[in-house]
Amino acid sequence: MTFHREETIQIPESDLDGMSLDTLAVRAGQIRTGQLEHSDAIFPTSSFVYGSAAQAAARFGGEEAGNIYSRFTNPTVQAFEGRIAAMEGGERAVATSSGMAAILSTCMALLKSGDHVICSRGVFGTTNVLFQKYMAKFGVETTFVSLTETKEWALAIRSSTRMLFIETPSNPLCEVADMAGLAKLAHDSGALFVVDNCFCTPVLQRPLEHGADIVIHSATKYLDGQGRCVGGVVVGPHKHMDEVYGFLRSAGPTMSPFNAWVFHKGLETLPIRMRAHCDNALELATWLEQQPEVERVYYAGLESHPQHVLAKKQQKGFGGVLSFCLKGGREEAWNFIDATRMISITANLGDVKTTITHPATTTHGRLSPEDKSRAGITENLIRLSVGIEAVEDLKTDLYRGFQVLQNASNT
Ligand SMILES: Cc1ncc(COP(=O)(O)O)c(C=O)c1O
């Protein structure tokens, strides 16, 4: 069968107007080719052909919409972008090669030398390094403040402040920011409010509805959900996304068609996965809080969490990530981690498989001792990204860790 591009059938987004997020996750952004496949096609091609030299010129000149070259136009990538934009409630999404590339592209597109950024202290370690080391090299200075103390943010504002950047809940301590309060502060100061929504995903929280200008994801985490690909995405209004897209077109931190396909399919099961992650995490957090070897549990679903009420207001669930401090230090934390048999020792999160990590020596290992201590990354801290296995089996595996600690204290 000859395939003509004109035969491509795109389900009009207007057909999905008013539909729920569960439906958008499965139906938004679908592109069907003339083959009428039910699952989505992948377009693993670097370039596209034109019917004539004139058409090529029109495409390059921007007079005719259509595919040109996969650094900046690819139908599979666009399908993923359309779906995640619909789910976040944003006008446009731009997919990138990683979550860090999403943050970098946002900064490169929307900041310039001399601008000032305020960033929460408890962000992913590499985000901290990106601002502190690399953005600083290009004349963008960053002040780090407590995620939860809105007063600290207000005090840090300068006439040159152009961006407020947060993760909420934060990695790994699950602190929760007052998004509406920070959005107001940003807008009163002429700054953009950017939220890394990696931990909640649009299923649990839609930052644009709370005043955020831009939402960022490491798609590597829950959007994929099965630990297969690295990718990222930025969502927001056309005026900002056109700039981010312009940077991507020129600099090339592009998502591959194959990865886009994996993420696009991953989104279809995101709502049901997130609900399973939340149920398991709440049950484990409650159980961990009762263990005598545990000093403290960090999970916004617990009433003991300082921002529990705020999290309940802002989020539809508390997410799959929790952290806890054991009584002791690095030795106890490492012994506990090593005693588990089923849970995977890996720094990735958002997988259907439960993962365990020691943030002080992995995800946040590049922070200086002072920055670690300010961010609350202690040596006895363990982070769990709770998967969707049977929760009783997770308890059995974690109990192996507690037994090792008990045996050590008896000798
Ligand atoms: C909250 C958060 N944002 C961004 C990133 C960076 O994403 P990537 O590893 O896809 O570059 C991570 C990675 O762990 C993360 O946890």
Side-chain angles (χ1 to χ4, degrees):
M1 187 199 260
T2 315
F3 167 65
H4 299 291
R5 222 187 74 78
E6 289 69 25
E7 287 172 347
T8 299
I9 299 165
Q10 179 150 23
I11 297 178
E13 293 295 324
S14 56
D15 286 358
L16 301 174
D17 273 356
M19 293 202 179
S20 79
L21 188 120
D22 287 23
T23 304
L24 296 177
V26 176
R27 294 290 181 179
Q30 186 171 347
I31 295 172
R32 197 167 277 156
T33 74
Q35 302 294 336
L36 299 182
E37 67 284 346
H38 191 216
S39 180
D40 307 73
I42 311 185
F43 293 87
T45 176
S46 47
S47 67
F48 297 84
V49 294
Y50 312 101
S52 64
Q55 188 184 38
R59 290 270 172 93
F60 271 84
E63 292 124 37
E64 182 184 298
N67 299 314
I68 300 176
Y69 183 65
S70 285
R71 180 171 6 91
F72 53 98
T73 46
N74 180 279
T76 320
V77 176
Q78 282 161 1
F80 165 65
E81 290 171 338
R83 184 167 286 175
I84 187 70
M87 290 173 75
E88 283 289 3
E91 285 176 6
R92 182 176 181 185
V94 178
T96 55
S97 56
S98 69
M100 290 318 303
I103 302 174
L104 175 71
S105 302
T106 304
C107 291
M108 294 300 278
L110 300 171
L111 297 174
K112 61 179 187 327
S113 175
D115 285 350
H116 174 240
V117 173
I118 313 177
C119 180
S120 54
R121 220 169 261 135
V123 286
F124 174 54
T126 309
T127 305
N128 185 304
V129 175
L130 177 72
F131 280 117
Q132 211 167 160
K133 183 168 175 190
Y134 295 102
M135 293 314 295
K137 271 170 82 166
F138 296 95
V140 174
E141 203 189 321
T142 304
T143 305
F144 292 89
V145 297
S146 157
L147 179 71
T148 54
E149 298 301 321
T150 309
K151 271 194 219 130
E152 274 191 39
W153 291 81
L155 286 173
I157 294 276
R158 302 178 191 169
S159 55
S160 57
T161 304
R162 289 286 165 271
M163 184 186 286
L164 271 55
F165 186 100
I166 64 163
E167 276 170 32
T168 182
S170 66
N171 179 12
L173 295 187
C174 304
E175 291 178 309
V176 178
D178 170 7
M179 286 192 281
L182 290 178
K184 180 167 183 332
L185 183 66
H187 299 151
D188 287 351
S189 326
L192 293 170
F193 181 40
V194 180
V195 177
D196 181 332
N197 198 25
C198 178
F199 271 40
C200 271
T201 81
V203 175
L204 304 182
Q205 153 178 297
R206 303 212 306 168
L208 299 176
E209 288 171 358
H210 298 273
D213 297 290
I214 291 172
V215 173
I216 287 185
H217 280 282
S218 165
T220 319
K221 310 297 180 315
Y222 289 105
L223 305 195
D224 172 0
Q226 292 176 58
R228 297 163 292 192
C229 294
V230 174
V233 66
V234 189
V235 187
H238 287 296
K239 67 174 174 186
H240 301 319
M241 289 310 100
D242 292 352
E243 294 296 323
V244 174
Y245 177 73
F247 174 76
L248 180 108
R249 180 171 180 163
S250 307
T254 307
M255 178 177 282
S256 79
F258 178 75
N259 287 8
W261 186 83
V262 170
F263 295 132
H264 188 68
K265 301 303 284 176
L267 289 179
E268 293 178 1
T269 55
L270 185 65
I272 54 170
R273 279 189 284 110
M274 288 314 290
R275 291 193 275 269
H277 285 295
C278 290
D279 289 349
N280 272 1
L282 182 59
E283 166 97 24
L284 275 191
T286 309
W287 177 77
L288 284 167
E289 224 178 17
Q290 292 156 3
Q291 305 307 311
E293 295 81 10
V294 171
E295 196 176 83
R296 180 169 180 185
V297 181
Y298 298 92
Y299 186 64
L302 295 175
E303 281 179 18
S304 59
H305 188 282
Q307 293 98 39
H308 175 64
V309 175
L310 176 64
K312 250 170 126 171
K313 196 172 109 193
Q314 269 180 190
Q315 301 171 205
K316 290 207 179 89
F318 303 105
V321 177
L322 65 89
S323 292
F324 59 100
C325 287
L326 290 169
K327 291 176 183 158
R330 181 186 294 192
E331 191 183 337
E332 284 73 15
W334 280 18
N335 287 344
F336 183 95
I337 291 170
D338 290 348
T340 59
R341 284 283 161 263
M342 176 182 73
I343 295 174
S344 320
I345 306 176
T346 173
N348 198 24
L349 61 91
D351 199 297
V352 289
K353 296 186 180 104
T354 300
T355 64
I356 192 164
T357 194
H358 183 242
T361 50
T362 59
T363 50
H364 292 67
R366 283 197 287 163
L367 297 193
S368 67
E370 300 74 46
D371 283 345
K372 268 189 217 169
S373 133
R374 259 186 248 121
I377 313 295
T378 52
E379 290 289 338
N380 60 349
L381 182 76
I382 292 176
R383 187 192 73 192
L384 277 181
S385 166
V386 182
I388 63 170
E389 302 96 333
V391 72
E392 291 308 320
D393 297 334
L394 292 172
K395 287 182 192 167
T396 302
D397 205 35
L398 291 170
Y399 196 69
R400 291 175 172 136
F402 288 123
Q403 273 175 323
V404 164
L405 300 183
Q406 285 157 15
N407 293 343
S409 72
N410 292 336
T411 51

